[in-house]
């Protein structure tokens, strides 16, 4: 009996599906995203590609529901409960300014206004002593307000709760007893770390998106159950691992960047099997451009991030995002051409989609210049209207005083320049030389722009993986179950013993085993990665250092010095060091099917689908169109060449050479000096 492992990734324009059968080659699908109900697009894709959904053995989902609720400010109204005397901690936030010389600087808009922040009596000291018991009567007015004003989400953040959570747990008991069904987010369960404001901000974010994500996941599970699918729903985390939908409902903040992370994890899988350890991963879809680094085979990680200025404490793959994609709209600003961040999305979409869109987009420009064909999308299932693209481009080009051809190339040049600037932010600005990296391009629009982006950063090699348009969804099938756990451990390094460290890690590992067992992981499939947050004495913030087993304190400190040097370009080996937190990543191995790449034989002649005129640097070129599924491993060609497949189109411009490697990847290399 054929069994299936399935992943789905919702994008702004398309929902991607990857199906891994137990006895056949992987296959993919793309369906238009359904913004009114994103679950509907996922369910429709699964239904049309898998005849009997009861054969699905594993399902993982990258959801944008939480992040969209935040970005569009469509989350729930939240009440925040704090320790008496600390009501204004969340409102005051931090005193630092991100833009020092910006005269009109304004603090980020908080998710909870001061009128919805309440305090209760009860205090636990830093060492766990109960200074004052939690006062249950102080909750009465909060409960009355929640009932009378229809509030469905409450966040709780008490002093020192990251180490001593008893009062937060008691608060949830009180609230659940009188407000059944309400979502309660406790700060120590979301971010078990010091710094009260950041911990409160993380708890508030979790509470803000929780009801929205909970309703979505419940609806998705119910629809799958009605279809006869017994496999539990799993959700991709921002950390690069997966969790069950039940766990995601408790802490949905961990899933905010679950979609883009899949592409980075797929990049680490390429590094493990392809021999290229340093990768610059770029994912260009319909509405956004996501980029990340894989260095020495590992994805870049951070333990804190910001969303529109609001801090979040959690393990997260380091991804940068800008609002540029295939649906980005070209417009005039006082006569100057701009591209994005406004997007046509999937409805109405670019003008060439024929769904009512009238503004020219990046996709329209590619179609107008011949780099995209009228039958290029979805393997010909979706026909693009070139006449509508021409009308949209010619209308705005006339207002700009440019020829339509120059205007279309200008759209792509501006879009590429914005993406290249973002790429410099995570490379050159961080002391990383992009010329030492292979550019991995994916997403529905990424392979069209890849070689032009490589030229901007003087990168000599581009890799377009198999199924690039669904690469992020494929990456979700390459990871494992993961739970990230933290324990406060504030000690000077010179006074720490190996026994103390081992005891701290053993406590975390025991907690991790319980968490993984709750996800259905067998003991033999569990593993753990150790690390520690450390800093020089006198510093405010920490750096995470890897901890090997068995523990050698000297090597741990040396690991910190090296990590500090990589981050800041210097270190002080003679300066005193201190521990702040101990961490583990508890991993649960997931079953995978053996997959072999099956490439056709021949010289590639059978892959020729035709020829069309394509414009590069204002000059039309007769360009051969190849169908990627028919390209053999021996295939090579000089640009200009266009390679089409079901999920994406790869553009190989003049001056570039394309090769198919033994794994089926397309390798684009410069055939002449820039």
């Amino acid at each position: 009996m054929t069994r299936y492992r399935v992943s789905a990734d919702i994008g702004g324009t398309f929902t991607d599906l990857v199906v891994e059968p137990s006895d056949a080659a992987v296959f993919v699908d793309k369906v238009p995203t359904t913004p009114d109900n994103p679950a509907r697009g996922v369910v429709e894709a699964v239904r049309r590609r898998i005849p009997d959904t009861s054969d699905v053995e594993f399902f993982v989902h990258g959801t944008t529901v939480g992040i969209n609720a935040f970005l569009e400010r469509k989350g729930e109204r939240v009440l925040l409960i704090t320790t008496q005397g600390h009501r204004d901690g969340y409102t005051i936030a931090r005193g630092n300014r991100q833009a020092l010389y910006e005269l009109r600087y304004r603090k980020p808009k908080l998710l909870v206004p001061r009128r919805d922040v309440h305090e209760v009596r009860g205090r636990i000291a830093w060492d766990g002593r109960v200074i004052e018991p939690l006062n249950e009567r102080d909750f009465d007015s909060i409960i009355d307000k929640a009932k009378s004003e229809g509030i469905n989400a409450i966040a709780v953040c008490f002093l020192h709760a990251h180490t001593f959570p008893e009062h937060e747990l008691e608060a949830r008991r009180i609230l659940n007893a009188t407000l059944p069904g309400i979502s309660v987010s406790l700060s120590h369960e979301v971010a078990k770390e010091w710094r009260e404001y950041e911990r409160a901000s993380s708890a508030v974010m979790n509470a803000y998106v929780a009801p929205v994500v909970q309703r979505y996941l419940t609806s998705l599970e119910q629809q799958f159950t009605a279809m006869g699918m017994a496999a539990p729903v799993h959700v991709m985390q921002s950390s690069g691992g997966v969790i069950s939908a039940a766990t995601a409902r408790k802490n949905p903040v961990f899933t905010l960047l679950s979609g883009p992370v899949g592409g980075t994890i797929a990049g680490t899988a390429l590094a493990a099997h392809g021999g290229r350890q340093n990768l610059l991963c770029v994912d260009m879809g319909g509405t956004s451009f996501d980029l990340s680094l894989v260095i020495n085979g590992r994805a870049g990680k951070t333990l804190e991030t910001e969303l529109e200025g609001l801090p979040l404490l959690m393990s997260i793959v380091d991804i940068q995002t800008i609002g540029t994609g295939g649906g980005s709209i070209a417009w005039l600003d006082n006569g100057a051409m701009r591209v994005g961040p406004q997007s046509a999305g999937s409805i109405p979409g670019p003008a060439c989609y024929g769904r009512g869109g009238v503004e020219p987009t990046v996709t329209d420009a590619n179609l107008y210049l011949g780099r995209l064909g009228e039958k290029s999308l979805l393997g010909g299932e979706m026909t693009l209207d070139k006449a509508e693209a021409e009308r949209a481009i010619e209308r705005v080009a006339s207002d700009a005083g440019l020829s339509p051809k120059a205007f279309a190339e200008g759209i792509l040049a501006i879009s590429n320049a914005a993406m290249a600037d973002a790429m410099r932010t995570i490379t050159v600005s961080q002391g990383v030389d992009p010329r030492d990296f292979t550019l991995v391009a994916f997403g529905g629009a990424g392979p069209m722009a890849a070689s032009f982006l490589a030229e901007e950063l003087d990168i000599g090699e581009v890799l377009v993986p198999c199924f690039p348009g669904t690469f992020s969804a494929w990456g979700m099938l390459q990871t494992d179950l993961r739970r990230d756990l933290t324990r406060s451990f504030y000690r000077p390094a010179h006074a720490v013993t190996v026994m103390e460290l081992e005891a701290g890690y053993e406590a975390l590992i025991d907690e991790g085993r319980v968490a993984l067992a709750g996800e259905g992981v067998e003991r033999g499939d569990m593993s753990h990665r150790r690390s520690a947050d450390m800093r020089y004495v006198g510093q405010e913030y920490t750096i995470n250092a890897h901890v090997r087993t068995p523990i050698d304190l000297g090597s741990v400190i040396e690991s910190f010095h090296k990590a500090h040097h990589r981050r800041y370009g210097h270190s002080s080996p003679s300066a005193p060091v201190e521990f702040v937190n101990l961490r583990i990543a508890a991993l649960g191995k997931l079953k995978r099917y053996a997959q072999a790449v099956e490439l056709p034989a021949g010289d590639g002649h059978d892959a020729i689908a035709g020829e069309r005129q394509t414009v590069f640097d204002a000059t039309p070129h007769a360009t051969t169109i190849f169908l990627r599924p028919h390209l053999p491993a021996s295939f090579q060609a000089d640009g200009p060449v266009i390679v089409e497949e079901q999920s994406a189109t790869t553009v190989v411009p003049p001056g570039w050479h394309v090769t198919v490697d033994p794994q089926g990847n397309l390798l684009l290399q410069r055939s002449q000096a820039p």
Side-chain angles (χ1 to χ4, degrees):
M1 178 186 297
T2 302
R3 308 291 286 173
Y4 301 95
R5 300 178 76 243
V6 182
S7 63
D9 179 26
I10 299 177
T13 306
F14 290 103
T15 293
D16 302 334
L17 190 78
V18 174
V19 181
E20 185 181 88
S22 58
D23 56 1
V26 172
F27 59 91
V28 304
D29 198 7
K30 293 175 81 76
V31 299
T33 293
T34 51
D36 59 314
N37 181 6
R40 182 160 53 85
V42 175
V43 172
E44 288 174 358
V46 173
R47 180 184 288 117
R48 84 174 195 167
R49 296 309 306 238
I50 301 177
D52 186 352
T53 54
S54 65
D55 294 332
V56 175
E57 190 171 41
F58 175 79
F59 177 85
V60 62
H61 180 29
T63 174
T64 57
V65 171
I67 189 66
N68 288 344
F70 165 71
L71 294 175
E72 298 170 11
R73 289 300 196 269
K74 293 182 179 179
E76 291 284 340
R77 180 182 171 188
V78 178
L79 298 185
L80 173 61
I81 303 176
T82 68
T83 302
Q84 186 182 44
H86 293 265
R87 178 186 180 192
D88 290 321
Y90 175 75
T91 305
I92 294 172
R94 294 292 177 189
N96 59 306
R97 290 176 53 167
Q98 300 296 330
L100 189 60
Y101 299 106
E102 185 178 334
L103 298 180
R104 297 181 180 179
Y105 173 78
R106 293 290 184 273
K107 280 190 173 183
K109 185 178 180 181
L110 299 173
L111 296 179
V112 179
R114 188 176 185 274
R115 65 178 179 274
D116 284 340
V117 181
H118 300 267
E119 56 187 26
V120 296
R121 287 170 288 178
R123 183 74 175 266
I124 295 180
W126 66 273
D127 58 358
R129 290 180 296 109
V130 178
I131 298 175
E132 181 181 9
L134 191 64
N135 193 313
E136 190 167 344
R137 293 178 58 186
D138 288 353
F139 287 84
D140 292 344
S141 60
I142 300 171
I143 293 168
D144 291 341
K145 181 176 182 177
K147 288 180 177 178
S148 63
E149 300 184 20
I151 292 169
N152 296 315
I154 294 178
V156 182
C157 183
F158 292 151
L159 286 182
H160 310 304
H162 63 291
T163 305
F164 304 103
E166 292 80 8
H167 279 184
E168 285 195 352
L169 294 169
E170 178 67 9
R172 179 163 60 190
R173 184 196 64 78
I174 295 169
L175 294 169
N176 285 343
T178 53
L179 297 169
I182 198 167
S183 174
V184 179
S185 298
L186 305 183
S187 72
H188 79 275
E189 293 181 341
V190 178
K192 204 170 185 178
E193 301 180 40
W194 65 297
R195 287 188 284 158
E196 309 302 328
Y197 164 61
E198 286 79 3
R199 184 155 49 86
S201 176
S202 302
V204 166
M205 180 70 77
N206 192 75
Y208 186 72
V209 303
V212 178
V213 174
Q214 288 165 356
R215 287 193 293 267
Y216 169 76
L217 290 176
T218 299
S219 171
L220 183 65
E221 287 182 309
Q222 289 174 345
Q223 292 181 66
F224 276 143
T225 300
M227 291 168 55
M229 193 176 90
V233 171
H234 289 81
V235 182
M236 191 75 180
Q237 296 183 92
S238 303
S239 65
V242 302
I243 51 176
S244 65
T247 303
R249 279 195 290 267
K250 295 177 183 176
N251 289 316
V253 71
F254 297 154
T255 70
L256 287 182
L257 298 179
S258 66
V261 164
T264 311
I265 299 305
T268 64
L270 280 184
H273 297 99
R276 294 171 175 81
Q277 296 296 295
N278 293 330
L279 307 175
L280 173 52
C281 301
V282 298
D283 178 3
M284 184 179 181
T287 58
S288 65
F289 178 73
D290 305 312
L291 57 159
S292 58
L293 291 176
V294 174
I295 300 177
N296 295 326
R298 290 182 174 270
K301 294 280 186 73
T302 182
L303 300 174
E304 181 177 358
T305 190
E306 286 188 354
L307 291 177
E308 296 191 349
L310 302 180
L312 293 176
L313 296 176
M314 62 180 182
S315 177
I316 182 172
V317 173
D318 196 1
I319 293 177
Q320 303 291 325
T321 300
I322 63 171
T324 295
S328 294
I329 295 172
W331 53 288
L332 299 180
D333 180 10
N334 293 324
M337 190 192 308
R338 300 283 187 266
V339 179
Q342 304 94 332
S343 174
S346 59
I347 298 176
C352 61
Y353 282 13
R355 296 174 180 166
V358 296
E359 303 294 336
T361 67
V362 171
T363 298
D364 293 310
N366 276 307
L367 180 63
Y368 185 86
L369 297 171
R371 302 179 189 181
L372 193 64
E374 293 176 80
K375 293 286 188 179
S376 295
L377 291 189
L378 305 184
E381 293 182 20
M382 182 176 181
T383 300
L384 300 180
D385 191 332
K386 190 171 184 178
E388 287 293 333
E390 290 174 350
R391 274 191 286 271
I393 288 173
E394 289 169 356
R395 177 179 57 82
V396 184
S398 176
D399 294 339
L402 295 171
S403 70
K405 186 184 299 183
F407 185 77
E409 286 203 277
I411 292 174
L412 300 184
I414 292 173
S415 173
N416 291 340
M419 292 186 286
D421 282 344
M423 293 162 65
R424 293 186 185 96
T425 299
I426 69 165
T427 54
V428 179
S429 297
Q430 301 295 327
V432 175
D433 190 344
R435 294 172 296 183
D436 296 334
F437 286 70
T438 295
L439 179 65
V440 179
F442 51 97
M448 280 193 290
S451 56
F452 305 100
L453 296 178
E455 289 177 353
E456 290 271 0
L457 275 76
D458 199 20
I459 296 173
E461 183 179 67
V462 173
L463 187 150
V464 180
C466 298
F467 312 122
T470 56
F471 191 60
S472 290
W474 178 78
M476 296 176 193
L477 295 175
Q478 311 309 310
T479 188
D480 292 310
L481 284 159
R482 176 171 176 147
R483 298 291 296 273
D484 292 277
L485 303 168
T486 309
R487 184 183 184 89
S488 180
F489 190 82
Y490 186 59
R491 306 276 200 287
H494 72 271
V496 170
T497 67
V498 172
M499 188 176 297
E500 284 182 293
L501 282 173
E502 284 288 2
Y505 281 117
E506 282 303 319
L508 281 174
I509 289 172
D510 288 342
E511 188 178 343
R513 287 178 179 138
V514 172
L516 291 177
E519 302 279 359
V521 180
E522 298 292 333
R523 183 69 173 262
D525 292 329
M526 297 180 184
S527 62
H528 305 86
R529 294 177 186 167
R530 304 182 182 191
S531 64
D533 296 343
M534 305 173 69
R535 63 186 181 184
Y536 292 117
V537 173
Q539 285 186 321
E540 174 72 11
Y541 291 91
T542 63
I543 286 181
N544 187 254
H546 180 61
V547 177
R548 301 180 185 278
T549 53
I551 295 176
D552 176 6
L553 195 55
S555 67
V556 173
I557 296 173
E558 179 63 23
S559 177
F560 163 73
H561 291 313
K562 290 180 179 179
H564 194 282
H565 195 278
R566 282 195 302 270
R567 175 75 64 84
Y568 299 113
H570 67 90
S571 60
S572 302
S574 61
V577 176
E578 60 189 6
F579 288 87
V580 176
N581 295 310
L582 304 182
R583 296 180 184 272
I584 68 160
L587 305 173
K589 186 177 180 181
L590 291 172
K591 177 182 177 182
R592 293 184 177 85
Y593 306 140
Q595 295 291 335
V597 177
E598 298 179 5
L599 297 177
D603 58 3
H605 184 78
D606 294 341
I608 297 176
E611 183 179 283
R612 64 172 175 260
Q613 291 293 310
T614 306
V615 177
F616 297 100
D617 293 326
T619 303
H621 294 261
T623 304
T624 303
I625 313 301
F626 290 91
L627 298 179
R628 185 171 182 179
H630 301 291
L631 292 179
S634 58
F635 174 79
Q636 297 186 45
D638 290 320
V641 164
I642 290 177
V643 181
E644 295 185 346
E645 57 188 299
Q646 196 267 353
S647 67
T649 296
T650 300
V651 174
V652 185
W656 284 78
H657 180 80
V658 61
T659 304
V660 178
D661 74 6
Q663 287 75 42
N665 303 307
L666 296 180
L667 288 180
L668 281 62
Q669 296 173 317
R670 293 188 184 186
S671 54
Q672 63 186 41

